[in-house]
Amino acid sequence: MWVLNQSPSLSVAQKVFVDSSTAIRSEYLEALDPGLTGNVEPVSFKADNNDAQKRIADWTTKQSGGLLETKIPLREDTLCVLLSALLYQGAWFHEFEPTDTKDKTFTCIDGTEIQVPTMWLDYRELHYYRQGDVQAVALPYEDDMEMLLILPKKGSSPADALSSFDFSAPPEDGDIRVTLELPRFETRTPELELTDSLRALGAAALVNGADLSRLLDSPEAPMMSVRTFQQALVRVNEAGTVAAAVTEMYATPESTETPSDDLPKEIELHFNHPFAFALRHKPSRALVFLGAVERPDES
């Protein structure tokens, strides 16, 4: 997280809101990075739940650059809310010329053809990847980030391409000049609950009767119910990319709730059917955002 926060266009923020009936244990605060210890704020979920929710919503809006807002109703017996936010605002190293953007045909998974504003970039030396039927290209930003655009073969799902793509593999050797057609797009998720997903990934101990006694100074801390939500937005146009994400975790007392050698030196890539993307921090190779575009005409 510290390394990501050194990126000039990426901001990473954390916040803990704790109910005034309890406190964050001093041992926990001492173990944290100094940059987080000042980000613990007392609120009263029971005495003034509306004020607590407003403060959380205000923090979310500010840290996401006004792109996202939280609307989760919090129970009055909530003891703490942990939040993490990402905001990225990056300009392309190779900008798309707006006058080159034209309406082009995009074929959806079900075969439906739609017309979408499509950007065009000609013959730029870019990192190119080919893994079986999946092709990808890395578009650099002016900073230390890049967007990997991952194109499966027509008729294949971008989710399948994501699951099979090896993000650790190097690009193809040589200077490869790429001509690119890419729709403008915006992806936005609603506030998704990740509790069941975390449980399926093996983190049941975190969401089922979690022991937070080393975090919270509360008699209820040894047996807590933890729910996790996330929302995200990624907007791509000729100038660059704006992306924001907020993850919210809140705790309440538990209740009943293969590459080829004959690679050409010039390649045309037409993202005219569903594709995937990844926003990646180049020095650490950390994937900051990951998503898929099935219909560029819909958010």
Side-chain angles (χ1 to χ4, degrees):
M1 298 296 282
W2 184 88
V3 171
L4 288 178
N5 220 13
Q6 307 312 302
S7 177
S9 304
L10 179 69
S11 62
V12 183
Q14 297 87 34
K15 185 82 171 182
V16 180
F17 290 90
V18 61
D19 189 72
S20 54
S21 66
T22 184
I24 302 291
R25 288 193 177 276
S26 59
E27 299 91 339
Y28 181 81
L29 293 175
E30 291 169 2
L32 293 177
D33 182 282
L36 183 58
T37 55
N39 288 337
V40 177
E41 183 174 333
V43 292
S44 180
F45 294 104
K46 185 174 184 179
D48 197 342
N49 192 275
N50 288 335
D51 175 71
Q53 296 202 56
K54 183 180 184 304
R55 289 206 232 171
I56 291 171
D58 289 347
W59 185 90
T60 299
T61 300
K62 178 180 178 181
Q63 298 302 327
S64 66
L67 297 173
L68 303 174
E69 57 182 26
T70 182
K71 297 178 181 178
I72 297 174
L74 297 174
R75 287 168 33 179
E76 291 184 355
D77 59 352
T78 298
L79 288 183
C80 70
V81 176
L82 293 83
L83 297 108
S84 177
L86 287 169
L87 176 62
Y88 178 70
Q89 302 179 80
W92 297 121
F93 183 79
H94 304 294
E95 279 197 22
F96 293 84
E97 179 59 51
T99 56
D100 291 333
T101 298
K102 310 292 182 188
D103 283 349
K104 296 287 184 74
T105 300
F106 186 96
T107 305
C108 304
I109 285 285
D110 62 2
T112 302
E113 293 186 349
I114 56 177
Q115 296 294 307
V116 296
T118 302
M119 307 181 295
W120 184 70
L121 194 68
D122 67 329
Y123 294 110
R124 303 299 171 96
E125 291 185 2
L126 302 172
H127 286 164
Y128 171 78
Y129 303 78
R130 187 164 66 183
Q131 300 178 14
D133 292 329
V134 177
Q135 300 181 85
V137 65
L139 284 183
Y141 296 95
E142 290 185 343
D143 52 23
D144 51 6
M145 304 285 287
E146 64 182 1
M147 176 167 279
L148 278 170
L149 294 162
I150 303 166
L151 186 67
K153 68 177 182 180
K154 273 192 175 180
S156 296
S157 161
D160 292 338
L162 279 177
S163 64
S164 66
F165 192 79
D166 181 4
F167 286 96
S168 65
E172 300 288 349
D173 291 333
D175 296 328
I176 300 173
R177 295 172 67 83
V178 178
T179 294
L180 184 69
E181 284 189 350
L182 177 69
R184 289 200 305 247
F185 68 88
E186 174 177 312
T187 63
R188 179 192 294 267
T189 69
E191 221 156 19
L192 301 171
E193 181 164 6
L194 305 183
T195 308
D196 289 341
S197 299
L198 289 171
R199 188 180 291 114
L201 287 169
L206 175 64
V207 297
N208 297 339
D211 183 355
L212 302 183
S213 59
R214 300 181 68 184
L215 167 64
L216 295 176
D217 186 9
S218 168
E220 297 168 310
M223 192 60 69
M224 302 290 293
S225 175
V226 177
R227 299 179 68 189
T228 304
F229 295 82
Q230 188 180 75
Q231 56 178 321
L233 177 144
V234 178
R235 182 181 297 148
V236 173
N237 58 26
E238 289 84 352
T241 299
V242 174
V246 174
T247 305
E248 307 158 49
M249 181 177 290
Y250 70 88
T252 58
E254 191 171 33
S255 65
T256 55
E257 249 182 338
T258 313
S260 171
D261 293 330
D262 58 347
L263 197 67
K265 293 299 182 183
E266 294 183 356
I267 291 174
E268 292 188 5
L269 285 179
H270 302 277
F271 286 79
N272 56 8
H273 58 275
F275 60 93
F277 66 89
L279 190 62
R280 182 163 70 177
H281 181 242
K282 288 188 286 187
S284 66
R285 300 181 71 81
L287 300 177
V288 183
F289 286 86
L290 194 66
V293 177
E294 295 189 348
R295 286 191 63 118
D297 62 332
E298 297 178 354
S299 177

